[in-house]
Amino acid sequence: MAQPDSKKIFFENLSGAGKAIAVLTSGGDAQGMNAAVRAVVRMGLYVGAKVYFIHEGYQGMVDGGENIREATWESVSSMLQVGGTVIGSARCKDFRSHEGRLKAAHNLVKRGITNLCVIGGDGSLTGANLFREEWSGLLSELVQQGLIEADAVQKYSALHIVGMVGSIDNDFCGTDMTIGTDSALHRIIEVVDAIMTTAQSHQRTFVLEVMGRHCGYLALVSALACGADWVLIPEMPPEDGWEEKMCQKLSATRSRGTRLNIIIVAEGAIDRHGKSITSSFVKDNRAGMKRLNIIIVAEGAIDRNNKPITTDYIKNLVVKNLGFDTRVTILGHVQRGGTPSAFDRILASRMGVEAVLALLETTANTPACVVSLCGNQSVRVPLMECVQTTQEVQKAMDQKRFEEAVKLRGRSFENNLRTYKLLAHRKPESELPVSNFNVAVLNVGAPAAGMNAAVRSAVRVGISEGHKMFAVSDGFEGFYKGQIKEIKWGDVGGWTGQGGSLLGTKRTLPAKHVDKIAEQMRKYNINALLVIGGFEAFLSLLELSAARGKYDEFCVPMVMVPATVSNNVPGSDLSIGADTALNAITTTCDRIKQSASGTKRRVFIIETMGGYCGYLATVGGLAAGADAAYIYEEPFDIRDLQANVEHLTEKMKTSIQRGLVLRNENSNVNYTTDFIYQLYTEEGRGVFDCRKNVLGHMQQGGAPSPFDRNFGTKISAKAMQWLSQKLVESYRKGRVFANTEDTCCLLGMHARALVFQPVVELKDHTDFVHRIPKEQWWLKLRPLMKILAKYKTSYDVSDSGQVEHVIHSRPKDSDASVAM
C-alpha cells in the first residue's frame, strides 16, 4: 500500500546488523507481556539483529543452556492474545549474588549478547541496571578465570539495557500506565458487574479486595469505574472516625432508595496511626435502606496508624453496626489472568518497538532507560530516576507523608483521586455553594459506551459546584421538543457500567430547529451546555456558535466532550467509546481465528465500523495481529491487494496457519469487503481458503470498558469545572453573556494533555466531506502494524530518541488520562 508522504527521519537509517538482542520477562507476570516480547523479536529481526529469548527470567540467564534460545519470526506467532508470559518468569536469588551475575555475563558473552530488553517491575529493572554497571568488571573476572578471551572485553565492552514495565499494579513512577494494568482492571470490573447483576435481589453488602499491596491504583480506578461509595488505598489512609463515616454513607445511600453500594479496599489496608481498628458503633436503622452494598478493598490499604484494613474487618464492622448481610470476595490472582485487553496489546507493541529503537541508538555513555507512556506518547525516561521516585513513594508512606506520596505517584493518580472524591461523596445541601446557574447535558450522535459515565460525572460535579442540572433526552431533537427535566444526584447512580445512552441520543442537528431550541433555553433558563457525542456534536456546536449573532440564548458557555466509536472528532486523539469498540473487535478476531484451529490454512476478512475513519481497522488490526488493514486515509489499488495476497501466500507456506485482514467500512467504494473476499479466495486457491465477517453494530454495544468509564468520568468532570469557571467569568449585570470563541470549546486529549480548543478554530483542521480530522496521530501506527506482519516499510522515528527526566515528562498543568 502507498505510504503517506513525510519529510521526517525514518528508521531505515538505523541498522541492527551485527547486534544481538535478548528479551526476558522477570518478576510477576502481567497480561500483555507476550505482546511486548513479540514486538521486540519482530522489530529486532526486522532491523537485522539476532534476537534471543531468555526463558525463566534472570534464573534462565544464570543457568544458561537451553534457557537462552534464538528467536525466529514464527516463534512469536499466535502469542499476542495469550495472557501471562510464554517465555516464563521466575524470582531469582542467584542473580542477586555477584557469582550469579558473573555466570549470567558469561552466558551472554558466549552468544555475543550485549543488548538486553527487560520486561518486569522495579526490582527486575534495578537488578538490570546493577548488572549493567558491573559489566566491565564481570568481563575482566571472566578473562582472569580463562572463561573468555581477552579481546572479548573490548568487543563486548558495554551492556545496554532498556526496560519496559510489566506490572498489573501500575506502581512504577515515570509512566502513566504499565503493561497489564488495563487487563487487570477488566478482570475486576467483570467481577463487579457480575456481582451487581446477581445481588440486586438481596439486601447484601459485598466487600471486594483487589491487589495492590503497596499501590492503590487498581482499587482507585476500579472505584471510579464502578461508582464505588468508598475506597481504601495505601496512599491515602482514612482519617480517624472513618468507620462511622462509612457506615453513615452506606445508610444514607440506602435510605435514598438506591439499590447498590460499592466499597473497594486495597489488600493490607491500614489506618493512619498503626493501631488496631476496634471501634464500636451504634447500630443504624435499616428501614428503607439500599438493597446492595459492594465494598472493594485494595490489597495494601492501611489506616492512619499503619495497621492493615482487612476485608474481614470491614465485614465485621458493617455487620455489627448496620446489621447488613455481608459477603467478602477476594479476587486474588484472577486479576493477573485472562486474555490481555486491546489497550495492553497496543501499549506493549508500541513499547516493544520503541525499546528496540532505543537499543539501536544507545552508546556506551547512554544511561539505562525505561520506555514509558505519557498521555498518548511513548517517551524514554532514565531507569534509575524512575526507581528512585518509586522508592520515595514508599518512604513517604512509611513516614506518614501521605499527601506527598499521592503527588509522587504522578498527576494521573492525583487526578483519579481528586475525581473520585468529587463524585463519590455528596455534600449536605447546606454545604453546597449556590450558583443559581442552570446547566443542560445531552448526548448527540450515535451511542457510544462510556456516555453514561460521562453524564453521571457531569451531573454530580455540576451539583457539587452548586448548579441545577438538566438532562435533555434524545439530543437536539428532544431539546426542541422540550424533553428536558432536572436531574438529581441519585438519578445517575449505577450509570457508569451501563452501555449505550440512557439519556437517548439522535443525530439531529440544531440548525433547522434553532428558534425552538432558543425558546426552550429561555423557558428553562439554561446558562450553559455540555454536549457529549461524536462528529454530529461537533457540527452542532459550530451551528450554535454561528447562531449567537441572532439568538442571545446561545451566548452561554458551551463545551463538547468527544464520544464516538469511530474516533473521528477533530481536536482529540481519543473519544469515549473507542476503547470498548476496540476490545469488541479484538475479542471477536481472537475467537474467529481460534475457530480455524486444527483446520487447514485460512484467511479471515473482517469489516469494521468507523465511517471514513480508519482508526478501528488500524488499531484493532494492531491489537489482533492483522496482516493488513484497508482504510480510506491510505489509498490502495488492485496492485496493493495482489501484493498482500502474495505476501500471505508466502507466510502460509511456513508454519503460519491463519491470516487476518481488516477493512474499514468506507475504505473504498469499489473494493468492497465482498470483492476483497472473492479476490483472496481466488488468488489463495490451493494454499488457503477464506472466510468473511461484518462486525456491524456489535462494536457499539455492551458494557463500557474500564478505560472508557474512567476516561468519560474524568474528561466530563474537567468539562464541568471549565463551564463553572466560564459561567462566573461571563456573569455580568444579572445574566450570563458569553459570545467569544473561547467560550464554545471542545475538550480533547492532545498528545499529553487534555486541551480546550474553540470549535471554530478546529474548522480548518477538519475534512467535513468525509467527517474526519485532516491529521490523525494513529496513522503513525500503520507502519508498526505492517512491520509486525513482516512487510517491508518505513517507520517514522522523528518523535523517538529523546530521554526525558521523570519530573519533566509531564506538562505542568496536565491531568490527561492514559491513552493509546
Side-chain angles (χ1 to χ4, degrees):
M1 283 182 250
Q3 291 293 318
D5 292 334
S6 176
K7 296 180 181 179
K8 297 178 180 178
I9 303 170
F10 288 92
F11 94 101
E12 291 166 325
N13 300 323
L14 301 171
S15 174
K19 290 197 174 186
I21 299 172
V23 57
L24 72 148
T25 55
S26 178
D29 64 300
Q31 307 97 316
M33 279 183 165
N34 290 324
V37 170
R38 172 180 176 268
V40 170
V41 169
R42 292 195 167 178
M43 189 65 173
L45 293 174
Y46 193 83
V47 298
K50 274 192 174 183
V51 185
Y52 291 84
F53 291 133
I54 299 180
H55 291 265
E56 311 307 331
Y58 286 116
Q59 191 64 57
M61 193 189 299
V62 173
D63 295 342
E66 284 300 304
N67 289 305
I68 305 177
R69 306 176 201 166
E70 189 169 351
T72 65
W73 194 276
E74 290 74 25
S75 62
V76 292
S77 296
S78 301
M79 66 189 294
L80 189 60
Q81 68 271 23
V82 179
T85 165
V86 298
I87 61 174
S89 182
R91 311 286 182 184
C92 181
K93 291 183 179 179
D94 293 339
F95 192 74
R96 297 177 184 175
S97 68
H98 182 79
E99 293 75 13
R101 293 192 291 276
L102 189 66
K103 289 180 182 178
H106 185 210
N107 288 325
L108 294 185
V109 170
K110 282 193 297 185
R111 294 165 176 81
I113 299 170
T114 56
N115 297 280
L116 273 184
C117 183
V118 181
I119 309 168
D122 60 337
S124 302
L125 297 177
T126 301
N129 191 64
L130 175 62
F131 190 39
R132 170 184 167 275
E133 291 175 345
E134 292 181 344
W135 181 256
S136 59
L138 293 172
L139 295 193
S140 297
E141 286 187 53
L142 291 172
V143 171
Q144 291 171 9
Q145 295 178 16
L147 296 174
I148 62 174
E149 299 296 329
D151 62 351
V153 176
Q154 182 66 31
K155 186 176 181 180
Y156 306 116
S157 60
L159 178 68
H160 307 298
I161 301 286
V162 172
M164 287 183 278
V165 190
S167 167
I168 68 168
D169 293 334
N170 202 33
D171 56 354
F172 193 81
C173 296
T175 183
D176 284 349
M177 200 71 140
T178 57
I179 297 169
T181 302
D182 186 71
S183 299
L185 287 171
H186 274 258
R187 301 294 92 78
I188 295 170
I189 296 304
E190 285 167 6
V191 171
V192 173
D193 286 350
I195 286 176
M196 289 168 65
T197 56
T198 191
Q200 291 291 343
S201 302
H202 305 279
Q203 289 189 1
R204 282 181 180 162
T205 294
F206 280 83
V207 183
L208 267 68
E209 177 183 294
V210 302
M211 282 185 166
R213 186 174 297 277
H214 302 295
C215 178
Y217 184 88
L218 288 179
L220 178 57
V221 176
S222 57
L224 268 175
C226 66
D229 296 280
W230 205 271
V231 64
L232 295 160
I233 59 173
E235 292 86 351
M236 189 55 63
E239 300 284 354
D240 293 343
W242 66 270
E243 299 97 331
E244 185 171 4
K245 291 178 181 177
M246 185 186 74
C247 290
Q248 288 174 350
K249 175 73 183 296
L250 299 183
S251 176
T253 50
R254 284 205 179 183
S255 66
R256 289 194 293 268
T258 311
R259 296 180 63 86
L260 175 66
N261 287 106
I262 303 174
I263 299 176
I264 305 185
V265 187
E267 174 190 14
I270 62 174
D271 70 13
R272 294 206 169 201
H273 304 292
K275 297 179 181 178
S276 300
I277 305 171
T278 57
S279 304
S280 60
F281 304 96
V282 178
K283 185 174 181 179
D284 210 319
N285 186 350
R286 184 167 182 165
M289 297 271 177
K290 199 175 189 180
R291 295 183 65 84
L292 172 64
N293 302 87
I294 299 181
I295 303 173
I296 305 183
V297 187
E299 183 180 19
I302 57 175
D303 68 11
R304 297 267 169 170
N305 299 313
N306 293 327
K307 291 293 184 183
I309 300 174
T310 65
T311 50
D312 285 337
Y313 176 78
I314 298 289
K315 174 184 175 180
N316 295 334
L317 176 72
V318 175
V319 170
K320 180 178 181 179
N321 295 286
L322 298 177
F324 294 174
D325 183 12
T326 305
R327 299 288 189 271
V328 170
T329 298
I330 299 176
L331 299 187
H333 283 77
V334 74
Q335 296 159 86
R336 290 189 185 277
T339 299
S341 66
F343 182 98
D344 273 328
R345 299 185 198 194
I346 296 159
L347 174 66
S349 297
R350 291 178 68 182
M351 285 186 168
V353 168
E354 185 70 21
V356 172
L357 292 176
L359 286 171
L360 293 180
E361 296 170 0
T362 192
T363 66
N365 299 321
T366 305
C369 72
V370 176
V371 179
S372 300
L373 182 74
C374 180
N376 195 33
Q377 288 186 331
S378 295
V379 297
R380 303 174 194 175
V381 288
L383 187 155
M384 290 314 296
E385 279 191 24
C386 297
V387 170
Q388 289 164 6
T389 306
T390 303
Q391 292 171 347
E392 287 174 15
V393 174
Q394 190 59 49
K395 186 185 297 183
M397 289 165 59
D398 292 341
Q399 297 174 357
K400 300 182 182 179
R401 295 180 282 114
F402 300 111
E403 288 76 10
E404 183 178 343
V406 170
K407 289 182 179 179
L408 287 169
R409 282 284 182 218
R411 291 189 178 273
S412 179
F413 190 95
E414 272 189 286
N415 188 44
N416 283 326
L417 184 57
R418 184 169 58 249
T419 306
Y420 172 76
K421 289 179 178 179
L422 194 61
L423 298 175
H425 302 292
R426 181 181 183 181
K427 294 179 181 178
E429 296 288 340
S430 58
E431 295 182 18
L432 291 175
V434 180
S435 70
N436 294 318
F437 293 128
N438 295 342
V439 180
V441 57
L442 65 159
N443 295 335
V444 177
M451 274 183 165
N452 296 320
V455 172
R456 169 186 175 269
S457 177
V459 168
R460 292 196 169 180
V461 172
I463 291 172
S464 297
E465 302 265 327
H467 310 318
K468 185 179 287 188
M469 299 300 298
F470 287 86
V472 181
S473 300
D474 298 334
F476 282 105
E477 183 174 318
F479 209 136
Y480 83 79
K481 292 179 179 178
Q483 295 171 205
I484 304 167
K485 65 177 182 179
E486 186 178 357
I487 187 167
K488 301 292 186 65
W489 184 283
D491 296 335
V492 292
W495 279 33
T496 52
Q498 299 293 315
S501 168
L502 294 176
L503 286 185
T505 181
K506 295 287 182 68
R507 296 180 182 272
T508 306
L509 297 179
K512 292 182 180 179
H513 311 283
V514 69
D515 53 339
K516 293 181 181 178
I517 295 173
E519 181 182 334
Q520 296 296 336
M521 295 277 285
R522 284 194 303 273
K523 179 179 177 181
Y524 289 93
N525 190 28
I526 301 300
N527 306 119
L529 281 181
L530 172 60
V531 182
I532 302 167
F535 202 85
E536 289 87 357
F538 171 63
L539 294 176
S540 296
L541 254 63
L542 284 173
E543 292 180 357
L544 294 180
S545 177
R548 280 175 164 179
K550 186 176 180 181
Y551 299 92
D552 284 352
E553 288 80 6
F554 301 125
C555 293
V556 297
M558 294 182 279
V559 66
M560 173 194 164
V561 169
T564 168
V565 300
S566 301
N567 197 36
N568 63 332
V569 178
S572 187
D573 290 350
L574 200 67
S575 300
I576 300 166
D579 183 71
T580 304
L582 283 174
N583 278 285
I585 293 168
T586 304
T587 301
T588 304
C589 288
D590 287 349
R591 292 175 178 173
I592 288 172
K593 288 195 295 184
Q594 189 180 41
S595 71
S597 180
T599 67
K600 62 181 181 178
R601 295 179 177 90
R602 181 164 290 167
V603 173
F604 297 93
I605 315 296
I606 310 295
E607 181 182 299
T608 66
M609 296 179 75
Y612 285 96
C613 181
Y615 175 81
L616 290 181
T618 296
V619 184
L622 180 60
D627 295 279
Y630 301 114
I631 63 171
Y632 165 79
E633 293 91 342
E634 192 173 288
F636 58 96
D637 57 26
I638 193 66
R639 291 179 294 275
D640 297 313
L641 293 171
Q642 184 64 37
N644 293 151
V645 173
E646 292 172 358
H647 180 80
L648 264 173
T649 302
E650 288 301 311
K651 287 178 67 176
M652 289 290 182
K653 290 178 181 178
T654 65
S655 60
I656 305 298
Q657 296 292 315
R658 286 157 288 179
L660 182 66
V661 174
L662 271 61
R663 176 189 175 274
N664 169 245
E665 59 185 348
N666 289 342
S667 57
N668 189 290
V669 68
N670 295 312
Y671 300 132
T672 63
T673 300
D674 284 336
F675 178 91
I676 293 174
Y677 162 71
Q678 291 168 4
L679 176 68
Y680 272 72
T681 300
E682 180 63 29
E683 296 299 319
R685 194 180 301 277
V687 180
F688 60 82
D689 65 4
C690 287
R691 295 290 186 273
K692 65 176 177 178
N693 194 297
V694 178
L695 301 186
H697 284 79
M698 65 167 289
Q699 296 158 85
Q700 285 183 300
S705 67
F707 184 98
D708 278 329
R709 299 183 196 200
N710 292 312
F711 185 51
T713 296
K714 289 188 283 189
I715 194 172
S716 191
K718 189 175 181 68
M720 274 305 308
Q721 291 169 328
W722 179 86
L723 282 178
S724 296
Q725 177 186 341
K726 293 298 179 182
L727 282 167
V728 172
E729 292 174 358
S730 58
Y731 187 73
R732 298 287 185 276
K733 299 179 179 179
R735 62 164 295 187
V736 173
F737 189 83
N739 65 348
T740 56
E741 290 183 355
D742 65 351
T743 58
C744 184
C745 287
L746 179 146
L747 173 57
M749 174 176 286
H750 182 65
R752 305 189 187 188
L754 291 173
V755 181
F756 290 94
Q757 300 165 83
V759 292
V760 293
E761 291 183 5
L762 293 172
K763 291 170 67 175
D764 292 338
H765 302 280
T766 306
D767 176 353
F768 287 96
V769 174
H770 299 100
R771 297 161 59 90
I772 55 175
K774 291 181 179 177
E775 293 186 8
Q776 301 185 84
W777 69 273
W778 52 265
L779 287 170
K780 290 184 177 181
L781 300 182
R782 288 189 61 76
L784 189 154
M785 182 193 71
K786 294 175 186 178
I787 288 169
L788 298 180
K790 211 173 182 178
Y791 283 92
K792 291 295 181 183
T793 187
S794 298
Y795 185 54
D796 186 350
V797 296
S798 57
D799 293 335
S800 302
Q802 298 297 319
V803 177
E804 304 183 11
H805 295 288
V806 175
I807 195 170
H808 295 139
S809 63
R810 282 141 181 79
K812 184 176 181 180
D813 58 349
S814 169
D815 58 2
S817 306
V818 291
M820 294 179 217

